[in-house]
């Protein structure tokens, strides 16, 4: 479900972990009402804790196989998922997962590798080979548990024989700068890979059970991390259509590959997938529900606009700003006090010589410009704790943000035009820097309208 969801009274939290937050914050609610940054931070923390994958994994553990159990995985949450699985699993485990640099954690028997994100590197190439190696000789008596989360696509570069790592790097850079939505980008990625688009699962005779932390609007699991274990119906012709629609300047060798049958990915009807299953163990909807419960505990109405918003960051920010302005000035379509929530994944189309800042920081700057002078407070942040390639997850903004940026000697509109939102918020001390969270259900946005 992705439509507007209005919550008027406390209800059972979306996940049990959220209740722990409510109890610990009850005494602080009057203070939080006055301190908007504290409340916004608490709402973000509630969303992150609700995205703890261990809850969904515990509820969907498969039976132990007659043979071996091997774990593979990729994504920003894969290391934490591996650690949780070790605690939940009653039996021996081996395997390899890859996560982003700085996102690793201590595990007992599952090996954690690190690689680059959002632009792949050679460590990711080595990691992809390691995943294929540990499952290639398994039998139908064995079990593969795949731990998949957002970011896995960049962490698993695996060009087909006709292409090189440099070709895949160029594809990735072109996609990141294109402004294409994540679903479109992943259609291209899975057809220039030897591991994505279900190919990892197709390389083993073992049964594969996949646990997914979804960062994809609409929760299409075949698109999370470009579906290394889950195929879909898209084709190389769809990839070429995306290239044409977004005017992607792809290398000639890549286009030649996409025009050849070698680019075809296995289809869901392929018998190799007949015994495989998948489970979504965390998603944006679950996280937004938990945050809205906490908002209600703080005395607000809570409205989830959508958990699957896509589009240009600055355009989506303007839309949110218009809704907030209407609520503030006319009390419609929602009564105050209210907190508006939304999730999904926006995009940024980079201009020439772009500055610093990810999609959430750009969203916050565009929203601040739209809400200049109004008593609205907001946070836009990535639930993995990192917005793009910076150290921050996003930024706080309010009706005074533009004036304070100007007071620091900077031009907010000019910085937005240059995709330089990071420096705008760094100058006024409003970057949001929680550090890596161990999960990833994409963008989190909250607007407080008192």
């Amino acid at each position: 479900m992705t439509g507007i969801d209005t919550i008027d009274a406390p209800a059972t939290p979306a996940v049990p972990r959220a209740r722990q937050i409510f109890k610990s914050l009850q005494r602080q609610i009057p203070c939080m009402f006055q301190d908007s940054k504290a409340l916004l931070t608490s709402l973000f923390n509630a969303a992150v804790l609700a995205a703890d994958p261990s809850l969904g994994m515990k509820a969907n553990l498969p039976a132990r196989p007659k043979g071996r159990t091997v774990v593979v995985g990729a994504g920003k949450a894969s290391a934490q998922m591996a650690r949780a699985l070790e605690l939940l699993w009653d039996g021996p485990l081996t395997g390899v997962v890859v996560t982003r640099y700085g996102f690793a954690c201590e595990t007992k028997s599952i090996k954690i590798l690190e690689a680059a994100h959002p632009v792949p590197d050679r460590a990711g190439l080595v990691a992809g080979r390691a995943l294929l190696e540990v499952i290639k000789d398994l039998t139908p008596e064995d079990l593969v548990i795949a731990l998949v989360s957002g970011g896995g696509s960049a962490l698993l570069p695996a060009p087909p024989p006709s292409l090189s790592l440099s070709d895949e790097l160029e594809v990735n850079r072109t996609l990141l700068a294109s402004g294409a939505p994540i679903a479109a980008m992943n259609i291209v990625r899975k057809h220039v890979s030897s591991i994505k688009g279900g190919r990892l699962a197709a390389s083993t005779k073992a049964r594969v059970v996949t646990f997914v932390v979804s960062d994809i609007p609409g929760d299409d699991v075949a698109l999370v991390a470009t579906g290394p274990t889950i195929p879909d119906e898209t084709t190389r012709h769809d990839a070429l259509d995306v290239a044409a629609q977004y005017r992607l300047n792809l290398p000639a060798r890549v286009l030649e590959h996409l025009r050849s049958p070698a680019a075809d990915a296995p289809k869901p009807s392929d018998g190799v997938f007949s015994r495989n299953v998948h489970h979504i163990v965390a998603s944006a909807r679950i996280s937004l529900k938990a945050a809205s419960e906490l908002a209600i505990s703080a005395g607000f109405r809570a409205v989830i606009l959508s958990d699957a918003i896509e589009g240009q960051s600055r355009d989506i920010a303007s839309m949110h700003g218009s809704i907030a302005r209407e609520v503030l000035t006319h009390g419609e379509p929602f009564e105050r006090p209210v907190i508006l929530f939304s999730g999904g994944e926006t995009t940024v189309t980079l201009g020439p010589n772009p500055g610093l800042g990810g999609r959430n920081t750009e969203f916050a700057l565009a929203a601040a410009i739209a809400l200049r002078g109004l008593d609205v407070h907001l946070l836009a942040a990535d639930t993995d704790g990192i917005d793009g390639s910076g150290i921050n997850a996003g930024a706080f903004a309010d009706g005074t943000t533009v004036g304070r940026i100007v007071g620091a000697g900077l031009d907010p509109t000019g910085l937005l035009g240059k995709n330089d939102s990071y420096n705008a918020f760094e100058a006024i001390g409003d970057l949001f820097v929680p550090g890596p969270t161990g999960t990833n259900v994409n963008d989190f946005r909250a607007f407080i309208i008192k």
Side-chain angles (χ1 to χ4, degrees):
M1 182 171 62
T2 59
I4 292 176
D5 189 357
T6 305
I7 302 174
D8 295 301
T12 302
V15 294
R17 286 285 296 276
R19 182 58 68 192
Q20 299 174 15
I21 305 171
F22 304 154
K23 290 181 178 179
S24 68
L25 293 175
Q26 281 177 345
R27 292 189 299 272
Q28 304 175 37
I29 286 175
C31 176
M32 288 195 306
F33 195 99
Q34 299 300 320
D35 186 345
S36 295
K37 280 188 179 179
L39 178 54
L40 287 165
T41 300
S42 295
L43 295 170
F44 176 85
N45 290 338
V48 167
L49 279 177
D52 181 350
S54 64
L55 299 167
M57 291 166 61
K58 182 178 181 180
N60 293 286
L61 286 177
R64 286 181 58 180
K66 293 181 180 179
R68 300 170 56 199
T69 301
V70 177
V71 179
V72 294
K76 298 174 189 176
S78 64
Q80 285 74 14
M81 294 173 77
R83 180 169 60 184
L85 182 62
E86 286 184 338
L87 295 173
L88 294 170
W89 190 253
D90 180 21
L93 288 172
T94 59
V96 181
V97 304
V98 57
T99 192
R100 179 177 176 158
Y101 291 124
F103 280 49
C105 62
E106 186 175 346
T107 52
K108 295 179 180 179
S109 58
I110 301 171
K111 186 175 182 179
I112 307 295
L113 302 178
E114 293 182 297
H117 181 280
V119 178
D121 66 357
R122 190 160 294 279
L125 188 66
V126 172
R129 291 170 179 166
L131 266 63
L132 289 165
E133 182 68 23
V134 296
I135 66 173
K136 71 175 185 179
D137 294 327
L138 297 181
T139 73
E141 299 295 313
D142 300 318
L143 172 68
V144 172
I145 299 179
L147 309 175
V148 177
S149 61
S153 186
L155 294 167
L156 288 177
S162 63
L163 301 178
S164 66
L165 178 60
S166 62
D167 290 325
E168 190 163 347
L169 290 175
E170 186 57 33
V171 169
N172 206 58
R173 291 191 190 97
T174 301
L175 289 170
L176 290 175
S178 69
I182 185 66
M185 288 194 282
N186 283 354
I187 289 173
V188 175
R189 286 169 172 159
K190 72 172 48 184
H191 290 95
V192 291
S193 173
S194 60
I195 201 169
K196 303 178 178 76
R199 291 179 177 88
L200 178 62
S203 69
T204 183
K205 296 178 181 178
R207 179 174 182 248
V208 180
V209 175
T210 303
F211 292 127
V212 180
V213 173
S214 175
D215 68 333
I216 296 293
D219 294 333
D220 184 344
V221 293
L223 295 178
V224 180
T226 324
T229 59
I230 302 172
D232 69 12
E233 296 289 355
T234 62
T235 69
R236 59 190 171 92
H237 303 291
D238 296 318
L240 288 168
D241 289 343
V242 170
Q245 179 180 353
Y246 293 96
R247 300 179 181 179
L248 302 180
N249 186 23
L250 298 175
R253 287 188 300 275
V254 172
L255 289 172
E256 183 180 355
H257 170 75
L258 288 174
R259 294 186 184 110
S260 72
D264 288 329
K267 294 292 182 286
S269 57
D270 192 313
V272 72
F273 303 114
S274 61
R275 297 192 302 150
N276 297 353
V277 296
H278 66 266
H279 306 281
I280 296 176
V281 295
S283 69
R285 170 59 55 171
I286 294 172
S287 288
L288 293 176
K289 284 282 190 180
S292 66
E293 294 278 356
L294 184 57
I296 292 164
S297 296
F300 291 85
R301 297 184 73 224
V303 177
I304 299 174
L305 298 176
S306 173
D307 66 347
I309 292 178
E310 298 181 276
Q312 291 293 311
S313 287
R314 60 185 66 180
D315 296 337
I316 300 303
S318 179
M319 178 269 288
H320 280 67
S322 296
I323 295 173
R325 181 183 293 271
E326 189 73 11
V327 172
L328 186 65
T329 56
H330 300 293
E332 295 179 347
F334 314 111
E335 295 179 2
R336 294 182 286 146
V338 64
I339 300 181
L340 308 179
F341 294 97
S342 72
E345 182 169 358
T346 61
T347 53
V348 175
T349 301
L350 298 178
N353 303 312
L356 299 175
R359 63 180 183 267
N360 286 286
T361 317
E362 177 148 325
F363 177 100
L365 182 55
I369 293 171
L371 295 169
R372 182 174 186 175
L374 298 181
D375 187 16
V376 177
H377 301 256
L378 68 102
L379 171 63
D382 196 318
T383 52
D384 68 10
I386 302 295
D387 189 31
S389 57
I391 63 168
N392 63 311
F396 297 101
D398 57 45
T400 71
T401 296
V402 169
R404 288 184 289 125
I405 294 173
V406 171
L410 301 174
D411 174 14
T413 303
L415 291 172
L416 180 63
K418 296 189 295 184
N419 307 116
D420 199 14
S421 53
Y422 180 96
N423 286 312
F425 287 104
E426 183 183 45
I428 61 173
D430 275 351
L431 291 172
F432 179 54
V433 189
T437 64
T439 191
N440 181 22
V441 292
N442 242 317
D443 301 339
F444 170 87
R445 295 175 290 266
F447 284 67
I448 298 175
I449 309 171
K450 296 181 180 179

